[in-house]
Amino acid sequence: NLSPELSHILEFGYSYFAEKISGNLSPYYRHTNNVIQNFTGINDTTNVAYTTFENIGSNDALGLNAYGSVTPFKRWTVRGSANVFYIQQVGEFNNNKLFNDGVQYNFNLTSSLDFGKGYSAEFWGTINSKRVSLQGTVPSFSMMSVGGKKEIWKKQGSFGVNIFNPFQHYLK
């Protein structure tokens, strides 16, 4: 039976708003108890590997979150965010003391362009670093999407086409 994760967060934020630009900068500290992670172990009687989710321990994270939005032209908006933090994890599983730490980050970028008469296009992308776990790391990943849409029925609906990860073949 899993218990809920319990987090204590201290965060400060500074926001800026102007006609064509806005942003937010937030340093933070987060402590989480009852951290839920997947854990792979070996069954002692069958020697078969298994994976389960467990409340393994606690973690502490110290980081910086930033967000920004700019409208370079009337019909074009670019938004982005970044989150960079140092994380330290401690825990115990099957009477084994566990520890791991490292730097993690994620970046997001969205750009939308309104062509008028209900036509628009959008680009979206995200990059995530490898994730620190008590058994090592979880691989990094990235995704992107390019699409367009046409609003119909006086903006009560829309028809759109999106292509996800169109350049994935080149990202090895």
Side-chain angles (χ1 to χ4, degrees):
N1 291 340
L2 293 174
S3 298
E5 291 185 345
L6 302 172
S7 294
H8 305 278
I9 303 169
L10 176 63
E11 180 175 4
F12 297 97
Y14 173 76
S15 297
Y16 176 80
F17 300 96
E19 184 179 340
K20 293 186 173 194
I21 189 169
S22 64
N24 178 277
L25 196 61
S26 301
Y28 64 89
Y29 167 76
R30 179 182 65 237
H31 175 80
T32 305
N33 288 317
N34 297 330
V35 171
I36 298 170
Q37 286 190 8
N38 63 336
F39 189 86
T40 301
I42 304 291
N43 183 299
D44 291 335
T45 56
T46 63
N47 283 334
V48 174
Y50 65 92
T51 301
T52 185
F53 286 90
E54 295 284 339
N55 292 103
I56 275 187
S58 65
N59 68 35
D60 291 286
L62 182 63
L64 182 66
N65 191 322
Y67 168 83
S69 176
V70 63
T71 305
F73 306 106
K74 181 180 178 182
R75 297 178 183 249
W76 182 29
T77 302
V78 179
R79 296 172 298 279
S81 66
N83 184 30
V84 179
F85 60 99
Y86 170 76
I87 188 165
Q88 184 177 66
Q89 300 185 12
V90 294
E92 185 175 322
F93 189 78
N94 289 342
N95 296 319
N96 293 313
K97 301 281 184 192
L98 305 168
F99 173 86
N100 203 358
D101 67 341
V103 174
Q104 294 181 196
Y105 59 83
N106 64 294
F107 302 108
N108 299 292
L109 181 67
T110 303
S111 180
S112 55
L113 186 58
D114 182 351
F115 297 110
K117 297 187 180 188
Y119 291 95
S120 62
E122 183 170 277
F123 164 84
W124 168 81
T126 185
I127 298 171
N128 288 273
S129 70
K130 64 183 178 181
R131 297 287 182 232
V132 174
S133 77
L134 284 171
Q135 285 191 304
T137 59
V138 177
S140 64
F141 70 94
S142 61
M143 296 184 297
M144 69 175 296
S145 168
V146 178
K149 75 175 182 178
K150 167 68 171 127
E151 292 178 339
I152 55 176
W153 302 317
K154 297 180 182 179
K155 297 186 178 184
Q156 296 299 309
S158 65
F159 173 77
V161 175
N162 282 305
I163 302 170
F164 288 92
N165 296 323
F167 306 111
Q168 191 68 28
H169 176 73
Y170 303 103
L171 301 174
K172 297 287 178 183

